[in-house]
Amino acid sequence: MAQLIKMQDYISRYEQDIYRYPTQFARLKKQQWDKLKAAYNAGELDRLYSEHTERETQVKLDSPQEDSKRLFKKVKGIFRRTGKPESGAEELPMPNQIEDPNVFSLRFPFRPASLDELKQNFLNQLLRFQMKWGSSTLREKSFVDQSFFLDERLRFFLQRFPDTFLVLYKPIFLLKNAPVEVEVILLTPVDAWCITFLEAEEDAAFIGSSERFWVRRHHKHPDKKVLNPLLGANRMTNIVSQLFELYGVNMPIKKVILSRNGYVDYPEAPYDITILDKRTFPEWFERMRAISSPLKAQQLKGAQALLEYCQTTSSLRPEWEAEYNQTDGNQHAAP
């Protein structure tokens, strides 16, 4: 399962420590799946959850020792241009009586009939957990549009690629005080993919050109003009390229037009564009899924560079407002 490090302008804990959370998530996800798989194969799923009255198990992704160390050490009232706390600010621990968004809870409303069914149930619940991580921290949260929970494209990236892939889904970059929303940036251990979707009805054909509009053709529908996808793809690639250069990130950048269910006909396509349609997508997809390389330093550095310029809108959790205001007031009080 790829990791959702940024979604639109929602706050993400990956913004706070990109070098910590990806490895932590991948490690503990594997541990939990191995535990479930072993229990299933031994016929002991019931025993595994018998100690929980609601048949629920929780995997804490921060140990109590780590939480206890995160006291009000560096709480600051100064916000960066993106509207989020400075990177030096420590993450506050959540009180025990409050629901902790850092906990992954598993619920099994029915007994899985097969290992594949167990795995799919596990991945579906893990998807919602990733959405929570992609829109909250221990002390702040963003209000997620419910449409994202049903977004097939988002589910495709998160559930079909390896844990070492990092996804920015429709992030909003704040450049020179102007917000710019792009589509999908996929950071693998070896390269960065700037992906623009071009999809319509099954087997639709898109006729590419250097003009502002392309033509979509389908045997059941009249021809229709669609905006040239290269406009958005070029803008997204330029943003990634500039930020990588600014932060000294040495990582290849690929520009992609993706049509999983249709065809793209563009004989004179620019040399720097990769077109993936119904003919070429399956091979690319399997090749990407086969990448077994671990997380790389340049990949994490690139993710940090992008996150630094992503716009973030969030609210302090109600349970922290009083403490935050009190700490902020004490910090600015005269000695």
Side-chain angles (χ1 to χ4, degrees):
M1 170 172 270
Q3 301 190 49
L4 180 63
I5 65 172
K6 188 66 177 180
M7 179 170 59
Q8 280 210 329
D9 62 346
Y10 303 141
I11 194 168
S12 164
R13 63 196 59 215
Y14 291 93
E15 295 175 272
Q16 298 184 338
D17 195 341
I18 191 62
Y19 291 94
R20 170 191 175 195
Y21 285 112
T23 53
Q24 185 183 47
F25 176 85
R27 183 184 72 251
L28 293 175
K29 175 213 163 188
K30 183 179 184 303
Q31 290 175 356
Q32 180 66 357
W33 170 243
D34 288 345
K35 181 180 179 181
L36 281 174
K37 184 178 178 180
Y40 176 84
N41 289 333
E44 298 178 346
L45 274 181
D46 288 340
R47 184 188 63 78
L48 181 62
Y49 297 108
S50 61
E51 60 190 63
H52 302 282
T53 58
E54 296 182 358
R55 301 177 65 81
E56 173 177 311
T57 186
Q58 297 183 333
V59 179
K60 253 192 162 308
L61 298 190
D62 278 318
S63 68
Q65 292 81 3
E66 290 174 319
D67 281 345
S68 65
K69 294 178 182 178
R70 292 195 209 136
L71 300 176
F72 302 94
K73 186 178 180 182
K74 294 183 180 178
V75 180
K76 299 181 180 180
I78 302 174
F79 284 76
R80 301 187 309 172
R81 62 186 178 281
T82 55
K84 50 194 175 187
E86 289 188 85
S87 58
E90 293 289 333
E91 195 173 43
L92 298 177
M94 290 289 289
N96 292 333
Q97 67 270 23
I98 303 298
E99 178 189 1
D100 190 342
N102 214 36
V103 171
F104 171 41
S105 299
L106 278 176
R107 295 176 178 84
F108 287 91
F110 56 87
R111 182 187 298 274
S114 65
L115 189 60
D116 287 340
E117 192 172 272
L118 175 70
K119 184 175 183 180
Q120 189 58 52
N121 188 290
F122 175 75
L123 291 177
N124 288 340
Q125 296 187 55
L126 199 61
L127 175 67
R128 297 190 69 85
F129 177 74
Q130 269 278 288
M131 297 284 283
K132 182 181 292 186
W133 256 32
S135 61
S136 69
T137 67
L138 289 178
R139 62 172 178 159
E140 295 179 81
K141 65 179 180 180
S142 298
F143 296 95
V144 181
D145 191 307
Q146 290 302 302
S147 63
F148 283 108
F149 290 94
L150 303 175
D151 192 316
E152 182 275 330
R153 293 176 180 176
L154 178 58
R155 183 182 293 268
F156 164 73
F157 282 105
L158 296 186
Q159 291 193 326
R160 305 296 297 278
F161 289 99
D163 296 341
T164 54
F165 284 30
L166 309 178
V167 179
L168 291 87
Y169 192 74
K170 297 184 178 180
I172 300 175
F173 290 97
L174 194 60
L175 305 170
K176 298 182 180 179
N177 297 321
V180 179
E181 181 177 332
V182 300
E183 287 201 47
V184 181
I185 302 173
L186 184 65
L187 300 175
T188 79
V190 294
D191 44 26
W193 295 80
C194 298
I195 302 174
T196 298
F197 278 89
L198 185 64
E199 295 181 343
E201 302 87 355
E202 186 74 21
D203 293 331
F206 298 89
I207 312 303
S209 71
S210 59
E211 303 297 324
R212 180 171 177 79
F213 292 96
W214 288 12
V215 177
R216 186 209 66 195
R217 292 178 177 168
H218 192 269
H219 62 282
K220 291 184 179 180
H221 304 280
D223 291 358
K224 181 180 179 180
K225 288 185 177 181
V226 296
L227 187 66
N228 186 337
L230 285 177
L231 299 176
N234 288 334
R235 180 171 59 247
M236 177 165 39
T237 305
N238 288 338
I239 290 174
V240 174
S241 177
Q242 290 176 22
L243 292 180
F244 277 11
E245 182 177 358
L246 179 64
Y247 283 82
V249 178
N250 183 22
M251 194 175 192
I253 302 173
K254 307 293 182 64
K255 181 168 35 178
V256 179
I257 302 299
L258 177 60
S259 182
R260 295 168 297 172
N261 65 345
Y263 302 92
V264 179
D265 183 14
Y266 192 5
E268 299 180 359
Y271 72 93
D272 62 344
I273 183 74
T274 299
I275 294 178
L276 299 173
D277 63 8
K278 204 168 182 177
R279 295 163 295 192
T280 56
F281 167 73
E283 181 183 352
W284 173 86
F285 179 57
E286 292 304 322
R287 188 169 67 248
M288 295 288 283
R289 283 168 54 87
I291 295 177
S292 58
S293 176
L295 289 161
K296 295 293 184 66
Q298 286 297 311
Q299 177 190 15
L300 297 175
K301 186 177 180 181
Q304 185 176 47
L306 299 178
L307 292 173
E308 284 289 329
Y309 279 82
C310 283
Q311 182 173 339
T312 294
T313 303
S314 64
S315 300
L316 197 65
R317 291 177 178 273
E319 59 269 20
W320 286 113
E321 286 182 355
E323 296 287 356
Y324 183 83
N325 292 334
Q326 179 180 355
T327 305
D328 188 55
N330 292 340
Q331 188 175 12
H332 289 86

